[in-house]
Amino acid sequence: MRLYDTYTRAKRELPPPPGPIRMYFCGPTVYQRIHVGNAVPFVLPMWLKRWLERQGYETKLAINITDINDKIYDAAPGASARLANDASRWYIEDTNDLGLGRPDVEPTATETVGDQIRMIEELVAAGFAYEVEGDVYFRVTRFSDYGKLSGQRLDKLEEQEPNALKEDARDFALWKANKPGEDTWWDSPWGRGRPGWHIECSAMSEKHLGREFEIHGGGLDLVFPHHENEIAQSRSLGHPFAQVWMHNGMLGRGGQEMHKSLGNDESLRNVIDTWGRETLLVFYLTGHWRKPLDFSDATLRSAATRAEGFRDVFRSAHEPATDDAWDRFAAALDDDFNTPEALAIMHEWRDHDLLRRALDVFGLASLAESDEAPPELVDLARRRQEARAGREFGEADRLRAEIEGAGWEVRDSGGGFQLVRKR
Ligand SMILES: [Zn+2]
């Protein structure tokens, strides 16, 4: 199995099964309900885990919850802990409704502060970091590989986290002294404060996966500075850290990336409630994980049509697929996890067993569930058809409403009708 690696800018071969394949994906910063774009770095690793396990791998997946961050302090001055707690619960509820299960571990920044402080102490002792009035900064110029992941040149680098007292404007914060209005803090060798965002992920990933692990992922917007800084922190201590860096393309709307700050975000909750989880998952499948994905009514409608196409296969007769069908599907996923190609292959199939097995990789086995309407509803639909034929449209509408009240939709087709379960 090969995956594209941002660090080497090439597809990299994974070790053979059973691995293990240990994966860390940067999860949400919890200060609002997550939007459909934030859900991509949840859906992608959950699918990847399911696929790797079917291919004989042992896996361990960690997706963290960033519950200490400037964004949370800004969103709820004086009450950030409460907001982080609520938003963590919303995140778990909303991603549960995707029906893909949970990662093996979901560490939070707050429960890992002790590990983060120990790591910062080691960096200070080794000369990679220094204290300024209760803040601790990483000396970017001390780490010779700085900029390799993102392709940034050190001499072109702009200031991160302004502070006139830093040795070098490019240095980034490992620890920040407590400021007025920040309602959470921890005691440390540098006084009361809280960790910087990047050290949280270095500490959480190594705590659960070890000093060397196979895959680190997140959105493309995290390459710089977040992941560049994680690499600097961990590798300057001699830890090999992640071997393959996966960065998913950003979800956009009308050519613009989806961001809360742009006001064009759509919550995962709303999208699941409006379109259903199956349509949303099929929508995610239509894009290659490295490419941008366009969220619109048209692309969601198209995904709904595809999902309905799969249900139709199970309403029609089974036709055995050719012998190489599964191998073609597996080859698409094993070559950089190409879900649009896998999806195209699945659309060719009328083989119920194979299609059910493939859909199950993506949490979509429900599309294969039997859709036989109960006889009393078939009777109502028949009476509705007679009413229509007799031009009794009021009665026909009443019968349609009764059928819909029972959770089914009646569709006119070829002089007859079809009953389809509502989703
Ligand atoms: Zn992270």
Side-chain angles (χ1 to χ4, degrees):
M1 166 126 198
R2 305 185 314 151
L3 289 169
Y4 184 84
D5 169 35
T6 310
Y7 198 87
T8 54
R9 289 156 180 79
K11 287 183 192 171
R12 297 266 306 275
E13 197 71 37
L14 293 187
I21 304 296
R22 292 158 293 192
M23 301 178 271
Y24 182 88
F25 274 70
C26 288
T29 298
V30 280
Y31 64 107
Q32 60 163 353
R33 287 204 111 100
I34 67 163
H35 63 64
V36 270
N38 301 140
V40 175
F42 180 90
V43 171
L44 171 64
M46 290 305 295
W47 279 346
L48 188 58
K49 176 181 169 65
R50 293 164 78 100
W51 177 244
L52 288 169
E53 287 174 355
R54 281 158 179 76
Q55 295 296 75
Y57 280 103
E58 285 164 19
T59 67
K60 184 170 182 184
L61 171 62
I63 303 181
N64 75 290
I65 295 175
T66 298
D67 57 355
I68 311 171
N69 189 287
D70 288 327
K71 284 182 183 167
I72 313 172
Y73 290 121
D74 292 346
S80 76
R82 171 81 188 275
L83 175 63
N85 199 43
D86 288 346
S88 299
R89 202 181 62 244
W90 301 331
Y91 160 69
I92 302 280
E93 285 170 5
D94 296 349
T95 47
N96 268 346
D97 287 348
L98 290 166
L100 296 172
R102 303 291 327 157
D104 299 290
V105 265
E106 298 181 86
T108 63
T110 48
E111 75 192 16
T112 329
V113 172
D115 304 85
Q116 296 160 40
I117 291 174
R118 276 191 294 282
M119 208 162 176
I120 299 169
E121 284 184 297
E122 281 181 57
L123 288 165
V124 171
F128 287 102
Y130 59 94
E131 186 201 346
V132 176
E133 295 187 346
D135 290 350
V136 181
Y137 293 97
F138 186 93
R139 284 191 178 95
V140 160
T141 51
R142 274 292 311 275
F143 181 65
S144 59
D145 282 343
Y146 196 83
K148 252 192 166 170
L149 176 76
S150 57
Q152 302 268 333
R153 279 180 46 187
L154 214 47
D155 58 335
K156 295 270 168 65
L157 205 61
E158 287 181 11
E159 174 157 23
Q160 312 181 40
E161 298 157 311
N163 179 343
L165 299 173
K166 288 195 288 189
E167 287 178 6
D168 187 321
R170 298 167 294 188
D171 294 346
F172 63 87
L174 298 170
W175 187 262
K176 299 182 183 186
N178 180 244
K179 291 179 195 60
E182 292 181 355
D183 60 313
T184 55
W185 61 78
W186 289 262
D187 289 319
S188 81
W190 317 284
R192 193 177 260 196
R194 41 98 178 192
W197 174 33
H198 319 299
I199 196 74
E200 295 174 359
C201 280
S202 274
M204 284 187 274
S205 58
E206 292 192 21
K207 177 174 186 166
H208 292 284
L209 304 178
R211 290 177 172 183
E212 178 170 5
F213 53 94
E214 287 66 36
I215 296 173
H216 192 314
L220 203 51
D221 57 338
L222 298 186
V223 176
F224 186 86
H226 188 48
H227 290 163
E228 195 71 67
N229 292 349
E230 280 187 49
I231 290 174
Q233 293 159 166
S234 290
R235 292 208 177 140
S236 59
L237 291 175
H239 307 170
F241 208 51
Q243 299 305 297
V244 172
W245 287 84
M246 286 177 79
H247 290 104
N248 63 269
M250 305 302 287
L251 192 114
R253 222 172 185 180
Q256 205 175 32
E257 278 179 20
M258 186 179 283
H259 284 292
K260 179 179 170 58
S261 57
L262 295 176
N264 64 353
D265 58 323
E266 188 73 48
S267 74
L268 175 62
R269 176 79 270 146
N270 277 347
V271 178
I272 292 177
D273 288 347
T274 309
W275 294 93
R277 65 164 206 104
E278 290 163 334
T279 291
L280 179 60
L281 290 176
V282 172
F283 164 72
Y284 288 133
L285 277 179
T286 60
H288 191 287
W289 62 273
R290 280 201 277 137
K291 304 274 167 56
L293 188 58
D294 180 47
F295 179 89
S296 69
D297 275 358
T299 52
L300 267 289
R301 257 199 312 274
S302 154
T305 304
R306 285 171 176 274
E308 194 56 26
F310 286 131
R311 289 188 200 103
D312 277 339
V313 171
F314 295 95
R315 293 180 191 121
S316 346
H318 164 91
E319 291 171 31
T322 51
D323 287 346
D324 67 340
W326 186 263
D327 289 344
R328 285 171 53 226
F329 171 78
L333 293 180
D334 282 347
D335 185 11
D336 204 23
F337 208 61
N338 191 335
T339 59
E341 195 177 318
L343 187 63
I345 293 168
M346 288 158 68
H347 276 304
E348 296 169 8
W349 295 347
R350 298 291 172 270
D351 185 315
H352 291 187
D353 303 329
L354 220 53
L355 186 56
R356 185 181 287 107
R357 194 172 145 203
L359 288 168
D360 190 42
V361 173
F362 307 112
L364 287 167
S366 51
L367 293 175
E369 278 163 21
S370 157
D371 240 344
E372 219 54 52
E376 57 272 24
L377 289 182
V378 176
D379 187 48
L380 287 180
R382 199 169 287 132
R383 281 166 49 200
R384 172 180 168 272
Q385 207 179 16
E386 285 161 13
R388 275 167 61 89
R391 303 190 65 78
E392 298 165 39
F393 295 116
E395 174 68 357
D397 286 347
R398 193 194 63 75
L399 287 161
R400 172 189 285 275
E402 195 174 336
I403 293 165
E404 290 195 349
W408 291 74
E409 187 189 335
V410 59
R411 294 182 191 169
D412 302 306
S413 65
F417 61 84
Q418 199 185 10
L419 280 165
V420 178
R421 196 189 292 279
K422 290 205 291 189
R423 316 233 164 211

